Amino acid sequence: MTPSGSVAAAAEKQPPLDPIQDQELKSWRGLVFYLCFYGFMAQIRPGESFITPYLLRDKNFTNEQVTNEIIPVLSYSYLVVLVPVFLVTDYLRYKPVLVLQGLSYVSVWLLLLFGHTVLHMQFMEFFYSVTMAARIAYSSYIFSLVRPARFQRMASYSRSAVLLGVFTSSVLGQVLVSAGHLSFTTLNYISLGFLIFSLLLTLFLKRPNRSLFFNRGVPAHHATVPSELDHMAPGSPSKPEGGKLGLTLLAAWQNSVLAHMLCELGASLRLPQLRLWSLWWVFNSAGYYLIIYYTHILWNVVSPARDSSAVYNGGADAASTLLGAVTSFAAGFVKIRWALWSKLVIAAVTLTQAGLVFLMYSTSNIWVCYVTFVLFRGAYQFLVPIATFQIASSLSKELCALVFGINTFLATILKTTITVIVSDKRGLGLPVHSQFLIYFGYFLLLSVVYFSGAMLVGLRHCRQARHQPLPMAQEMTSPAEVATVQDRGLDSLQTTTPPLPPEENGWAPEPATREQSPL
């Protein structure tokens, strides 16, 4: 055993911590705490799970108005604002977009409380779509303030804070309604108070000096690794004398980078796993959010409770958030040959989703609806991290951002197209039960396609004399191992996520995210 005197002497011989490193460590810890606190508080909207019964009972809108006139606006407006908000987020360096998100949330609840017409509620949906598109700002912002070596921990902390906020919000709403016997109107006033507080928090956020695409200058005291874009456009042209020449060279440089990125993306699309999981992201996400958007309407049709304390939407949202977090975590420990079994796994999960949607359609028991909704969201959240890791394994962080942006945009186009045909009053204008029957057919068709692909892969594998090893990027034993395959991977990828999925909320409460959920 070492004498205490020797320990003290050894401690005295240790070189003192560099003042710059010590200051940076304290600054990083402060950022972690404040950002996680903001991420938590921004999710506290206890009235969100009860938007649908509030509109139908307190505001006296009809089921047809909510289903065929109000909710479809969310898909249309989200499609319109998604790309502009994504670009503005990077150009303005995140903080202004977070402020915009806070203002939009406040506008949503002001319209909910004081609006009385369908047009007011349609504007409410528009502002909610802005808040959904702006979620990218938080997931990107947190990575612009710390070194790449800290991305993994930062991603873990921020994700946990958001999920905890969504869970707390749903539980708080349910407790206030069931135990406190508060009205939905009072619950929305409480939500507005929390949203104003979170808006104030955004005003004290630090604005980063750099971003992913437009603002690429790195301060001297931040030692960061070069990005893929730096390799694509090495060196920078000397400053021209003429202003017009400078603008021309700058535009040419940006166009060159974009051209290189598109070429890189085209080459990456040759990877079968990238194509497979990107297509899953597009098709499954579109169907998933359609279910999320209209589930609360279905619940009200199945059980039009007159007593607000008998409405358990918040409990269902809380349970689905918790299960989604558990399945997402468990997915990181699944060890199989993904290049061989991916299609079969996707097919099995998609078939499960189809069965759960059919149960929602066919049952008249509200508790069965609650349970199937929780399981449906858990199934989707199980595949999200797997898809994320598979896509990220062979891409740089810039290409990851581009791929996930394109996937999300294509999913939004598909979701909007289905909404126009099935839900909108100018299309078929179907009631919610009929819509769920169509969504069941949608997921069933996807599962058939994936099972067919899985059988073809199995037949090819059986015909081979011996199995040829696949590249690491295509055959990962576990999503949790990707971070060790490539440092740049997953954590920088979080800057793009939908996705902090799409996790999601509104009457279409999508917790994780509230990836989440649309009103």
Side-chain angles (χ1 to χ4, degrees), residues 38 41-42 44-45 102-103 105-107 109-110 113 189-203:
Y38 166 74
M41 293 305 304
I44 306 299
R45 305 184 291 271
L103 290 171
Y105 265 128
V106 171
S107 300
W109 257 263
L110 287 175
L113 288 166
Y189 275 111
I190 295 174
S191 299
L192 179 61
F194 277 113
L195 290 170
I196 292 174
F197 176 70
S198 65
L199 173 60
L200 293 176
L201 290 178
T202 63
L203 302 179

Side-chain angles (χ1 to χ4, degrees), residues 345-400:
V345 172
I346 293 175
V349 173
T350 306
L351 182 61
T352 301
Q353 290 177 301
L356 294 171
V357 172
F358 183 77
L359 277 176
M360 294 186 209
Y361 159 76
S362 59
T363 186
S364 59
N365 188 315
I366 187 61
W367 291 104
V368 173
C369 281
Y370 286 151
V371 172
T372 51
F373 171 73
V374 171
L375 295 176
F376 178 85
R377 284 194 57 192
Y380 175 80
Q381 296 300 334
F382 173 75
L383 286 183
V384 165
I386 296 174
T388 299
F389 300 143
Q390 293 283 343
I391 292 173
S393 62
S394 56
L395 298 177
S396 68
K397 65 179 180 181
E398 287 84 4
L399 286 180
C400 279

Side-chain angles (χ1 to χ4, degrees), residues 308-323:
S308 61
S309 62
V311 177
Y312 295 97
N313 294 9
D317 291 339
S320 61
T321 301
L322 185 60
L323 180 62

